[in-house]
Each structure stands twice: as structure tokens, then as C-alpha cells.
Amino acid sequence: MSDRPSVLFVCVHNAGRSQMAAAFLHHLSGGAIEVRSAGSEPADQVNPAAVQAMAELGIDISAERPKILTDQAVRESDVVVTMGCGDTCPFYPGKRYEDWQLDDPAGKGVEAVRPIRDEIRRRIEMLITELVPSQESAPPEH
């Protein structure tokens, strides 16, 4: 087990919201937080509009593949963020659970995905300051 905090993002298809959230957390935390994502019913591929929306910000998720949600992934995570997966996510006492109500980008064009992407980024930035507060306030090293 790592001493870094770990976060699991879960949505139904693991093709849009959870993939964008995982990519933002990995990118913005600089590796200070362990990141996982999964879906209760994984799609065949990541949503192309989500890939395009993230690429606009210089984050490449084109090589990511949707993964099935496992009990082990939940057990190994400190924080579980669900995004519209309902009751399919296993519950373990002692875990921090958050349910983010976000529009599903499935079947939408990049114009409709951008506001979802931007809201996910805002929430990820808040999550980072909660999980790794020293990262925000640490003085720069010389």
C-alpha cells in the first residue's frame, strides 16, 4: 500500500466523466495522489468528445481504455467518487464517498462536453487541496 492518498472515479461506462476526472487528478496532482477509474458497465472505448475536450487542454486520454469496477479497486482507494452509477458501487465502511452530479457526455459533441470538463476540473482542484493541502501552500524549493 502507498502512503499517497488514492482516489477511485466511478461512472457507468468509464468512458467520459470518470476518465476526464482521473486524467485531471493525475495531471494536476503531479503524482501526489494515486488515481483509478472504473465503470459498472464499461464501454468499448473512451468517448471521442471527451478525448477531444481534454486534448484542448493538453491532456491526452486517447490511449485510455474503460475498465470494469472491482471490489479490490474500491478497497484499495481512500476516496470513491461516483458519477451517476447509482447503487452499483460497493460500499465499505471507513471510505470517503462523494457523488458528483454531472451531466453524462455520452452521445454529445465537444461543445456540450467542455462545460462538463470544466466543472470536473474545478472539483478536482478542490479535491487536491483537501487531500494534499501542503501541495497548495508549500513554498517553492530553490
Side-chain angles (χ1 to χ4, degrees):
M1 282 294 228
S2 170
D3 57 354
R4 295 181 300 164
S6 59
V7 178
L8 169 64
F9 296 101
V10 183
C11 65
V12 175
H13 300 297
N14 189 221
R17 294 166 290 188
S18 57
Q19 290 284 353
M20 289 189 288
F24 271 134
L25 185 57
H26 178 75
H27 181 77
L28 297 173
S29 75
I33 299 171
E34 190 175 350
V35 182
R36 298 178 180 88
S37 72
S40 53
E41 298 173 25
D44 294 332
Q45 66 180 17
V46 174
N47 180 333
V51 171
Q52 183 179 348
M54 294 301 285
E56 291 175 351
L57 300 180
I59 300 173
D60 182 6
I61 63 170
S62 62
E64 296 298 325
R65 296 289 170 253
K67 297 166 281 306
I68 186 75
L69 176 64
T70 65
D71 279 353
Q72 180 177 354
V74 177
R75 281 195 306 272
E76 292 177 354
S77 300
D78 299 311
V79 180
V80 179
V81 178
T82 58
M83 304 172 180
C85 67
D87 297 329
T88 61
C89 188
F91 180 83
Y92 291 97
K95 301 284 178 202
R96 173 178 163 185
Y97 287 86
E98 292 188 18
D99 185 38
W100 291 0
Q101 298 295 318
L102 298 161
D103 289 338
D104 188 347
K108 296 183 172 133
V110 71
E111 299 80 20
V113 173
R114 285 184 190 117
I116 300 167
R117 172 201 66 195
D118 295 344
E119 176 61 16
I120 290 171
R121 180 181 186 139
R122 186 187 70 75
R123 293 178 188 215
I124 292 297
E125 288 170 346
M126 288 184 352
L127 186 62
I128 291 170
T129 61
E130 293 170 9
L131 295 178
V132 192
S134 60
Q135 188 164 320
E136 276 298 295
S137 59
E141 293 183 18
H142 295 275

